[in-house]
Amino acid sequence: MYKISELVGKNLIDVNSAQDCGQIKDFVYDKVTGVGAFATDTGRYGADKIFSVKDAVSVVAAKKIDAGETFVGKVAYDTTGKYLGKIYEVEFGNTLKPAKITLLDGAQYGRGKIYAVKDVALIRAKTPISKKRNAPTTASAQSVTEHTMKSSTKTHWMQNRKYGDFSFLLGKFTDKNITNFQGEVMIKNGEKVTPEVLRQAKISGKLIELCLHTN
């Protein structure tokens, strides 16, 4: 496993052609294709695999690409809109597929948790675990259980009311029509994201889609 922090500053060399692809600056990733690549001072380069990282980062079949978003320094949110922190480390294997990201507070998320990367990184929120409750054996136990369930339901409702802070989208423009669940166009292609647009996206559960389709 390789860490981008240990490779930044090294030159990227293609072992087949001996081409020097420049000095490594960051790691990039395209969620659609699953392709990982290096961002250097001359462009972005994918490769079939990493050959060696001793003096330089030698790769097999380096090829210049246009796709991909950088990781390091990106702010991460989960898919409910909860702020998680900034990314400072990316780990990946021989084929350049990202395996893990680490935030400044030490929290780590595996590749399966990375939902998308664009202006921010979106991490899949944890799925709540449902626990079976034992049936109460007395009236007192029944009362306590009902009180606990009501408190839990209220807390859950309060948490779900919070959409998270997606205000970083304000002032950006959409690159596609975004529809609500009835198929009606809610936000038109090229429309500027205003507080009202953001509110509508929250109501319709389209915050993530809006995040992925704004520039």
Side-chain angles (χ1 to χ4, degrees):
M1 200 67 67
Y2 305 98
K3 295 181 178 181
I4 189 60
S5 62
E6 297 172 351
L7 304 184
V8 168
K10 291 188 175 183
N11 280 45
L12 182 67
I13 307 294
D14 184 341
V15 296
N16 294 338
S17 64
Q19 177 189 3
D20 186 339
C21 301
Q23 197 174 77
I24 294 173
K25 301 294 184 184
D26 205 340
F27 184 84
V28 300
Y29 174 61
D30 180 26
K31 175 66 179 178
V32 176
T33 62
V35 172
F38 291 110
T40 75
D41 52 9
T42 66
R44 297 178 176 188
Y45 295 87
D48 288 347
K49 67 177 181 178
I50 296 174
F51 183 77
S52 170
V53 296
K54 190 175 180 182
D55 298 317
V57 178
S58 302
V59 296
V60 176
K63 45 189 175 291
K64 204 164 188 178
I65 64 171
D66 294 324
E69 297 288 340
T70 58
F71 269 109
V72 178
K74 285 277 173 70
V75 171
Y77 291 82
D78 74 13
T79 46
T80 67
K82 179 184 176 182
Y83 173 78
L84 300 175
K86 281 190 177 182
I87 299 172
Y88 91 93
E89 185 67 275
V90 184
E91 296 180 45
F92 45 92
N94 267 338
T95 58
L96 273 72
K97 289 185 178 179
K100 186 190 300 180
I101 61 174
T102 305
L103 305 186
L104 284 173
D105 65 356
Q108 296 181 325
Y109 299 90
R111 180 160 60 102
K113 281 286 184 181
I114 304 169
Y115 187 88
V117 182
K118 198 175 180 183
D119 295 330
V120 299
L122 292 177
I123 309 300
R124 292 186 186 276
K126 293 181 180 179
T127 303
I129 299 174
S130 177
K131 295 182 178 179
K132 292 182 179 179
R133 294 185 176 87
N134 294 325
T137 55
T138 65
S140 177
Q142 175 71 46
S143 177
V144 170
T145 301
E146 287 178 355
H147 175 73
T148 302
M149 290 177 67
K150 285 179 181 178
S151 298
S152 175
T153 301
K154 182 179 179 181
T155 301
H156 183 67
W157 178 78
M158 290 297 290
Q159 289 174 340
N160 284 346
R161 287 188 69 231
K162 298 179 181 179
Y163 296 103
D165 182 12
F166 279 84
S167 58
F168 61 87
L169 296 175
L170 293 173
K172 295 186 177 182
F173 293 86
T174 57
D175 60 17
K176 64 169 283 190
N177 288 344
I178 298 177
T179 59
N180 58 24
F181 293 119
Q182 286 72 45
E184 302 165 335
V185 176
M186 181 179 61
I187 306 166
K188 294 181 180 179
N189 181 13
E191 184 174 353
K192 185 177 182 179
V193 178
T194 63
E196 176 59 21
V197 168
L198 197 60
R199 188 181 73 83
Q200 290 295 329
K202 288 179 179 180
I203 292 172
S204 301
K206 294 289 184 171
L207 278 173
I208 294 172
E209 186 174 355
L210 182 64
C211 184
L212 297 178
H213 292 285
T214 52
N215 295 298

